[in-house]
Amino acid sequence: MGFKEAFTRQGDGENLLFDDDAFIYFAISILTLVILPLIYSVIKPLFTTYVFGENRRKFARVPKSSNDQQNLQLAKQELRLKWLTTGYVVKIIILVALLLLLNASIQSLPKADKIKGFDPYEILEIDPSATEQEIRKAYRKISLKLHPDKNPDDPQANQKFILLTKAYECLTDEDKKSLCMKYGNPDGQQSLSVGIAMPSFLLKKENRAAFLAVIFLLLLVVVPIIVLYELRSIGKYDQNGVMLSNQEKFERGLEENLLIKKGVELSSCSDELCRLRLKTEKQGIDLEKLVNELKEEAELRKIQKFEITEALEQSKKQKNKKRRVTISVAMILIYAHLFGKPIPDSVKSLYRSTIKIIPKLVNSMVRLAFEFSMKYKVIQWRQRGRFQTKFMGARCINNILQFSQCIVQGIYETDNPINQIEFFANKAKDYIKKGKMPVFQELVQKSVDQRVLPNWVPEEFKDQIMNEINMFPQLDIKHEVTVDDESIVEQCNEDIFSIKITLTRLNTPEGEDIPFAHSNRYTYVKEEGWHILITYQNEVFYYAQLNGSNRVQSTEFKFQPKMYFGDVVEFEFVLFVISDCYRGLDAEIPIKFKAKKATQISRAVEYHKEDQELDKSLPFIQSMLFPMQNKVEDSDSEDEDQSKKEDE
């Protein structure tokens, strides 16, 4: 409670008064605690994007045409504005409002002279050298102004008048004056008082209804809406940001012999893409032209059972318009992307949002396929195959990732991987006659000195091609099989084995981050992703995804052979290293090793010296009881000796 309120206690025993000054200090403290973390959350994305983001990372593509330059700028803009979301704008608005409120609170702080303490001369507006007559005159003058009867609208008029009376008594009564000099209070030493840090305007009757309405709105409307919104978002998306409602669709569509084009169907029927709708008549006309181009392209490529063609034929056969099969907008845009068709301007926004979400959908499919594979193994071993369920091994996951490769590079599954290089995709047909296309994987994996382009490639394009080849990862894959206990010489199937896989990008200098994935068709910024599969007899035992900017990345798989394979002593694993960005750079490496049975080897059990000493020593409880037992035995022997002496 403030000093002033100690003198304004009303006679009816009401000690809890509304303190404006305390409320201002309390409000400033609370606002500061809220504003500081809010400022940090607002500045952090700006700081990381403009200070560290673009300086730490570089784009892995060099603009070679006006169209490529435009795509690069769009990708950079996407990276810069990644943090600019609706939630971020709301944060800024809230921060500005809180800063304005904090500034208003600081401006309304009580002045220093207001909180000096109880000063009767200041209250009566007189000098300390004033005579008793001047004191009385000043008291009468001010009391006429502050009397509660003359200020019925002022809720603090009574307190001000009591304070004025106390000041007058302090200067006219010698006893109270001495108490004021000693305790700073004409009433003498006071007990502890409690005040309420709330604004005094709540005392006014006309403000109470508005205050209760605000409290009602916050507690019964705003807070429940925020809680319900958070509860709806919890459990709605998986770790890849994909809606969990897609899981049932993916479970029905995924299978061991999954075709790559099945990925188009699964992606287009996802909840994120199946809701795409055309908003203008222009979009419908452009999309209809695009469908006709896709049909012609499918005939040239001799694609059997093309989904769009089959859907159109079924629609023609169906007389009832309501039952006609409709073609998904997302499916049309995905096939246009894979066939390399130009996208009309009217549907480019739909196209970009469609292609952007597919890598996330692919990661969810891969994770679900791996979970199915692990579920099948557990049920087969424990239930002996009586429970019927789907089996999805390495082939299913591999095909899903190959679909992701096609999306990122903008090529169809039957296209030559060399089409990932711009020259061979767009200009090679003008120069090649009897020559052959080079092998993409050989060009990438060889060193710069060993790379040789065909003779029919014009000289003016060779430097450009070589620079673009160097943008693809030249990967070095190493694996190592070890046992956790390095002192073991002979390995048995009961030991804990570890398979460590290390990926090194050789064409990235040490100390530098790897660039983003290179593509001439995928305009969004994407990290390179490498998926690690370890299989045994086509069953996936281990899966890991390596992302990030580090030049060297590794993962480790630990297992006990006997728990997984029983008495098997010769193991032939297969290591798959699959990219989700590039075609033709996947690797399949066999991993072979042997381990004897535990009964075939004899190991001497070695104890540490400290363990041996602990074994020799008695446990704690026995060490406490043993001395007492010795004392009892000693006392018994002494009693026996004494009794013998007495008998003698």
Side-chain angles (χ1 to χ4, degrees):
M1 189 175 187
F3 188 87
K4 186 189 302 183
E5 285 73 13
F7 303 99
T8 58
R9 291 182 299 169
Q10 300 181 20
D12 55 358
E14 184 182 358
N15 294 328
L16 297 178
L17 301 175
F18 289 84
D19 190 346
D20 288 336
D21 299 344
F23 173 73
I24 293 173
Y25 285 109
F26 176 74
I28 291 175
S29 302
I30 296 298
L31 288 174
T32 304
L33 292 176
V34 174
I35 288 173
L36 289 179
L38 193 59
I39 290 176
Y40 174 77
S41 64
V42 169
I43 293 178
K44 183 179 178 181
L46 294 173
F47 191 80
T48 54
T49 301
Y50 292 102
V51 178
F52 288 118
E54 223 168 334
N55 293 335
R56 288 181 64 249
R57 304 301 309 277
K58 63 179 182 179
F59 288 87
R61 47 189 299 174
V62 178
K64 297 172 285 294
S65 63
S66 58
N67 182 48
D68 196 44
Q69 176 69 31
Q70 182 180 1
N71 292 338
L72 181 61
Q73 294 300 326
L74 289 173
K76 288 184 177 181
Q77 184 179 4
E78 176 72 18
L79 178 65
R80 293 192 190 102
L81 300 181
K82 189 176 181 180
W83 48 267
L84 190 58
T85 60
T86 305
Y88 186 82
V89 175
V90 172
K91 280 184 181 180
I92 294 178
I93 295 174
I94 294 175
L95 178 60
V96 172
L98 292 178
L99 288 174
L100 293 175
L101 186 59
L102 179 63
N103 180 60
S105 301
I106 294 174
Q107 295 296 330
S108 60
L109 278 174
K111 298 180 181 180
D113 55 354
K114 187 178 179 181
I115 58 176
K116 285 180 181 178
F118 180 74
D119 188 354
Y121 297 101
E122 181 181 357
I123 296 173
L124 293 171
E125 299 178 0
I126 57 177
D127 295 331
S129 59
T131 61
E132 185 175 351
Q133 185 178 2
E134 292 175 345
I135 294 173
R136 291 176 180 175
K137 184 178 179 181
Y139 170 70
R140 291 173 183 172
K141 179 181 178 182
I142 299 176
S143 62
L144 293 175
K145 296 180 181 179
L146 300 182
H147 198 279
D149 294 340
K150 294 188 176 182
N151 299 278
D153 298 332
D154 189 358
Q156 294 185 349
N158 192 25
Q159 299 175 7
K160 294 177 182 178
F161 186 78
I162 293 174
L163 184 65
L164 179 66
T165 304
K166 293 287 184 180
Y168 173 73
E169 292 176 353
C170 181
L171 296 180
T172 56
D173 191 335
E174 292 296 332
D175 295 335
K176 291 186 177 182
K177 187 174 183 180
S178 62
L179 290 174
C180 185
M181 296 295 294
K182 185 176 181 180
Y183 298 104
N185 188 337
D187 292 335
Q189 189 175 5
Q190 298 292 310
S191 59
L192 179 65
S193 302
V194 180
I196 302 176
M198 294 294 288
S200 58
F201 72 85
L202 295 178
L203 293 173
K204 297 181 180 179
K205 294 182 179 180
E206 58 270 20
N207 295 333
R208 294 176 183 176
F211 178 74
L212 292 176
V214 172
I215 297 298
F216 175 82
L217 184 66
L218 289 175
L219 296 181
L220 300 182
V221 180
V222 177
V223 174
I225 289 176
I226 295 174
V227 172
L228 290 176
Y229 177 79
E230 293 295 332
L231 290 176
R232 286 186 61 187
S233 61
I234 295 175
K236 189 176 181 180
Y237 300 94
D238 62 7
Q239 59 186 359
N240 299 308
V242 177
M243 298 178 67
L244 289 174
S245 55
N246 293 319
Q247 184 171 349
E248 185 178 353
K249 300 177 182 179
F250 294 161
E251 287 178 356
R252 293 197 303 264
L254 293 175
E255 56 186 12
E256 171 64 12
N257 298 320
L258 180 74
L259 299 176
I260 298 179
K261 67 177 184 179
K262 184 72 172 180
V264 179
E265 180 182 347
L266 291 176
S267 300
S268 58
C269 72
S270 64
D271 289 345
E272 287 85 355
L273 297 182
C274 68
R275 300 173 182 177
L276 294 180
R277 295 291 183 269
L278 302 179
K279 298 180 180 180
T280 62
E281 186 178 355
K282 174 66 174 173
Q283 290 179 334
I285 296 173
D286 292 341
L287 212 62
E288 187 176 354
K289 293 179 181 179
L290 192 58
V291 169
N292 295 329
E293 294 179 5
L294 295 178
K295 287 174 56 180
E296 296 176 358
E297 184 68 23
E299 293 176 358
L300 292 176
R301 293 174 178 264
K302 298 180 180 180
I303 299 176
Q304 297 179 356
K305 297 182 179 180
F306 186 53
E307 289 87 341
I308 295 178
T309 304
E310 290 182 348
L312 290 175
E313 291 177 355
Q314 292 179 9
S315 298
K316 291 179 181 179
K317 294 178 182 179
Q318 184 61 252
K319 295 181 180 180
N320 190 348
K321 295 183 179 180
K322 295 183 178 180
R323 296 184 178 180
R324 287 183 180 179
V325 180
T326 57
I327 307 173
S328 170
V329 176
M331 182 180 291
I332 298 172
L333 297 175
I334 292 172
Y335 272 114
H337 175 74
L338 296 177
F339 289 165
K341 296 296 181 180
I343 307 299
D345 294 336
S346 60
V347 293
K348 271 191 175 180
S349 59
L350 296 176
Y351 163 72
R352 287 175 59 82
S353 59
T354 300
I355 302 303
K356 179 183 178 181
I357 193 65
I358 291 180
K360 296 182 179 179
L361 296 174
V362 167
N363 288 335
S364 296
M365 293 181 198
V366 171
R367 180 64 63 178
L368 186 61
F370 173 68
E371 291 176 357
F372 260 90
S373 179
M374 296 301 294
K375 180 180 179 181
Y376 172 76
K377 287 188 300 185
V378 172
I379 293 175
Q380 184 190 31
W381 289 349
R382 295 182 180 178
Q383 304 295 335
R384 298 180 180 178
R386 295 179 183 175
F387 188 86
Q388 299 296 326
T389 185
K390 287 186 177 182
F391 170 71
M392 286 180 281
R395 182 178 177 183
C396 176
I397 298 177
N398 188 15
N399 289 343
I400 297 172
L401 292 174
Q402 287 188 29
F403 168 65
S404 177
Q405 297 170 4
C406 295
I407 289 295
V408 175
Q409 295 301 325
I411 59 178
Y412 196 62
E413 58 180 310
T414 56
D415 292 343
N416 192 333
I418 198 67
N419 288 345
Q420 295 172 100
I421 300 175
E422 184 184 14
F423 172 81
F424 296 104
N426 301 325
K427 301 178 182 179
K429 59 184 179 181
D430 298 333
Y431 299 96
I432 187 173
K433 294 180 180 179
K434 297 181 179 180
K436 295 182 179 180
M437 286 286 192
V439 180
F440 176 73
Q441 188 173 9
E442 293 180 358
L443 283 178
V444 173
Q445 296 301 332
K446 289 181 179 179
S447 61
V448 178
D449 299 334
Q450 296 177 346
R451 291 172 183 165
V452 178
L453 295 174
N455 295 328
W456 54 267
V457 177
E459 290 293 333
E460 62 267 22
F461 294 105
K462 287 186 177 180
D463 291 339
Q464 176 185 337
I465 295 172
M466 288 297 184
N467 291 333
E468 189 172 359
I469 291 174
N470 199 45
M471 297 177 187
F472 295 92
Q474 188 178 357
L475 209 63
D476 178 46
I477 305 171
K478 292 182 179 180
H479 67 276
E480 183 182 9
V481 181
T482 58
V483 180
D484 281 0
D485 191 349
E486 298 179 355
S487 63
I488 295 177
V489 179
E490 291 183 318
Q491 302 170 352
C492 73
N493 57 359
E494 293 185 359
D495 295 329
I496 304 298
F497 282 76
S498 176
I499 302 177
K500 185 177 181 180
I501 299 97
T502 304
L503 308 183
T504 305
R505 179 162 175 157
L506 300 178
N507 56 343
T508 298
E510 293 185 5
E512 292 187 9
D513 295 337
I514 63 174
F516 294 106
H518 169 65
S519 173
N520 292 307
R521 293 276 296 167
Y522 193 81
T523 57
Y524 280 94
V525 176
K526 187 183 184 307
E527 297 279 358
E528 287 184 6
W530 296 93
H531 299 256
I532 309 299
L533 299 176
I534 298 179
T535 65
Y536 182 81
Q537 297 180 356
N538 199 33
E539 293 183 4
V540 181
F541 277 85
Y542 179 72
Y543 166 76
Q545 184 179 0
L546 299 181
N547 290 320
S549 59
N550 296 330
R551 178 178 178 268
V552 180
Q553 299 176 350
S554 63
T555 184
E556 192 172 6
F557 171 45
K558 292 186 177 183
F559 65 101
Q560 186 186 49
K562 187 174 182 179
M563 185 179 67
Y564 284 90
F565 312 105
D567 293 332
V568 178
V569 294
E570 295 185 3
F571 304 95
E572 294 184 3
F573 291 94
V574 180
L575 170 64
F576 292 92
V577 181
I578 308 172
S579 172
D580 61 1
C581 301
Y582 307 111
R583 296 278 290 168
L585 298 183
D586 303 337
E588 182 177 342
I589 304 171
I591 301 177
K592 299 180 181 181
F593 63 93
K594 296 181 180 180
K596 295 182 179 181
K597 295 181 181 180
T599 56
Q600 294 177 346
I601 61 174
S602 59
R603 292 177 179 172
V605 181
E606 297 181 0
Y607 295 95
H608 197 270
K609 292 182 179 180
E610 295 181 358
D611 294 334
Q612 293 177 359
E613 294 176 358
L614 288 174
D615 289 339
K616 292 179 181 179
S617 62
L618 292 174
F620 176 75
I621 297 178
Q622 289 187 358
S623 63
M624 295 294 293
L625 295 176
F626 189 72
M628 297 178 62
Q629 185 177 1
N630 289 339
K631 291 180 180 179
V632 173
E633 292 178 354
D634 293 341
S635 62
D636 292 341
S637 60
E638 291 177 358
D639 293 339
E640 290 178 359
D641 294 340
Q642 187 176 359
S643 62
K644 287 181 180 180
K645 290 180 180 180
E646 291 177 355
D647 293 339
E648 291 176 355

